[in-house]
Amino acid sequence: MRNLLSIVALAAIAATMQPSAQTPHIVDMAGSRHILALWSDGTVTGMGDNRHGQLARPRTATLTFEPPAPIELPGKAIQVMASIDTSYAVLEDGTLWAWGLGASGELGVPLPKGVDARHTPTRVASLSNVVSVSAKEHEAMAVLADGTVRAWGKPPAILAKGRRVDLGIPEPFIVDGLADVVRVDSGSLHGVALTRDGRVLTWGRNHMAQLGLGQTSANEPPTMIPTLSDVTSVIRVGGAGVAVTRDGRVWTWGHNGQAGLGNGERADTMDPGQPTPQPVAGITDAVEVKAGSDLGRQIIVRRKNGTLIAWGNTDWGQLGTGGVAFQPRPTPITLKDVVGYWPFGIQTFARTGDGTMWFWGDNFTGLPLAGLKQNQRAPARVALERL
């Protein structure tokens, strides 16, 4: 009996020592002037600009930073995405929900005459088995579980199969030439896709060599970049493209007007672009690359040791390297043990291994969240808690 009591007592002590349920933490963020935060429990919080209902609340008349508040969705989200004034969430059941501005078809459904926005999240009914969504400017694309891609809004005309892009396309359509895709980074002028076997396809305008195909041209349908393989992460921003390969190298191509090539230089507006991917000097341990929207145009690479290195546009401090205007050469960000980071708009957020959230960029966001009256040009702690 004594041994049995001892076992029971030890079990009770062990039970009290078990960690409590983990506090939800941010696993994904997206935005422009507004911000969406996805938490580890599948809930979503919105804050910032709400002039078009993109925070899933009745529209605000003027540009103000609305405080964080939960966004009601019918299930757990696995990804959030935002274009300039529109918001999206992919749920774990494979459905896609959209809200905010929809005047150019961004919501994936036609709106009644005279209505240009909707603040209530509504399912894009024609889509199922969605695994991810990309949105830039007034265009959106979704990757489905079978590797096919759908587009709507104002995509590059080369994809639209004769539809009037200038009017906006509210019904998602199949994008020909894209198969076995795992990720897209879309845009109204050009885009990029990554396939399961590490190939990269690009499409759209190519007058500045944005597509990395070895030459310039007016427009191109989805075409594989012949000199890239074994790619694990890829983005497009402004007129440039950036890819990370499995060996840890980073490759860039396209126009260098925003210092996006990471070669220490910045081109004039009319200079020709770099037509083929070239390696960025000094980086051999990259894990992934992310970039801000065409408004932010910052490029940030995470390295295997948990640090970040960045280049591109930093007018508002969104690179976090302490510089101003443009940073043409890859420059480290003074932050260690980064487990997640999210550049978008003209700001960037990151989370370190100890759970701390960090912010850098424009003071429209920095002032209400951290009391920063000036643009923040280096990482600053910011308190973000699930509501």
Side-chain angles (χ1 to χ4, degrees):
M1 176 64 72
R2 180 176 296 176
N3 289 339
L4 178 60
L5 291 174
S6 297
I7 293 172
V8 171
L10 289 172
I13 293 172
T16 63
M17 295 175 64
Q18 293 298 315
S20 58
Q22 185 180 16
T23 302
H25 58 275
I26 291 176
V27 295
D28 191 23
M29 297 185 78
S32 181
R33 283 290 190 180
H34 70 293
I35 298 169
L36 305 176
L38 170 62
W39 300 84
S40 55
D41 61 1
T43 59
V44 177
T45 298
M47 66 196 87
D49 182 20
N50 190 49
R51 287 172 295 171
H52 297 280
Q54 59 265 49
L55 298 183
R57 29 188 134 157
R59 316 168 62 145
T60 307
T62 59
L63 176 63
T64 56
F65 192 98
E66 299 300 306
I71 292 176
E72 297 297 328
L73 292 166
K76 292 183 177 180
I78 60 172
Q79 185 208 358
V80 289
M81 178 55 63
S83 57
I84 296 175
D85 297 305
T86 313
S87 301
Y88 305 87
V90 179
L91 304 191
E92 62 181 2
D93 64 1
T95 59
L96 176 65
W97 297 70
W99 60 99
L101 184 66
S104 297
E106 298 95 330
L107 298 177
V109 294
L111 292 177
K113 187 175 181 179
V115 176
D116 66 355
R118 180 185 60 212
H119 73 266
T120 303
T122 303
R123 182 184 172 186
V124 181
S126 62
L127 296 179
S128 58
N129 299 315
V130 177
V131 295
S132 67
V133 62
S134 173
K136 297 280 179 68
E137 299 103 28
H138 300 284
E139 185 256 12
M141 301 182 81
V143 177
L144 307 191
D146 62 4
T148 59
V149 177
R150 306 295 188 271
W152 64 95
K154 288 186 173 183
I158 195 73
L159 302 182
K161 303 176 182 178
R163 297 177 178 87
R164 289 282 303 275
V165 174
D166 59 315
L167 299 177
I169 304 170
E171 297 285 353
F173 62 91
I174 297 175
V175 179
D176 293 337
L178 292 181
D180 206 28
V181 169
V182 294
R183 186 181 185 276
V184 295
D185 193 6
S186 62
S188 294
L189 298 179
H190 73 286
V192 59
L194 176 64
T195 65
R196 288 190 177 94
D197 60 0
R199 294 175 295 122
V200 173
L201 295 98
T202 56
W203 60 87
R205 294 186 65 180
N206 193 37
H207 65 297
M208 292 287 189
Q210 300 98 314
L211 305 188
L213 301 177
Q215 77 283 328
T216 59
S217 55
N219 285 282
E220 295 290 342
T223 305
M224 184 179 68
I225 296 180
T227 57
L228 273 182
S229 61
D230 213 19
V231 173
T232 58
S233 181
V234 65
I235 57 94
R236 42 79 55 201
V237 59
V242 187
V244 173
T245 47
R246 197 172 302 278
D247 60 7
R249 289 189 292 174
V250 179
W251 303 77
T252 60
W253 63 91
H255 192 248
N256 204 27
Q258 298 296 324
L261 299 185
N263 60 6
E265 300 177 357
R266 176 179 170 243
D268 290 333
T269 303
M270 298 308 296
D271 284 352
Q274 178 177 288
T276 57
Q278 300 295 325
V280 176
I283 305 178
T284 58
D285 59 350
V287 174
E288 64 179 326
V289 59
K290 294 182 179 182
S293 67
D294 283 356
L295 181 63
R297 298 156 291 175
Q298 70 271 42
I299 297 167
I300 304 179
V301 167
R302 184 165 66 91
R303 310 177 86 163
K304 291 180 181 178
N305 63 2
T307 62
L308 303 175
I309 191 166
W311 64 94
N313 187 294
T314 190
D315 285 348
W316 295 269
Q318 66 268 33
L319 278 182
T321 58
V324 297
F326 296 95
Q327 176 60 58
R329 192 177 306 280
T331 303
I333 298 172
T334 57
L335 202 59
K336 297 180 180 180
D337 194 25
V338 175
V339 295
Y341 72 107
W342 303 278
F344 53 84
I346 49 180
Q347 63 269 322
T348 302
F349 288 84
R351 182 169 63 86
T352 47
D354 61 1
T356 303
M357 290 295 299
W358 301 83
F359 161 83
W360 54 96
D362 75 310
N363 65 339
F364 175 78
T365 299
L367 180 60
L369 292 185
L372 304 169
K373 295 183 179 180
Q374 304 297 323
N375 292 340
Q376 180 65 26
R377 299 189 176 277
R381 289 174 182 265
V382 61
L384 284 175
E385 299 179 357
R386 190 178 69 87
L387 302 177

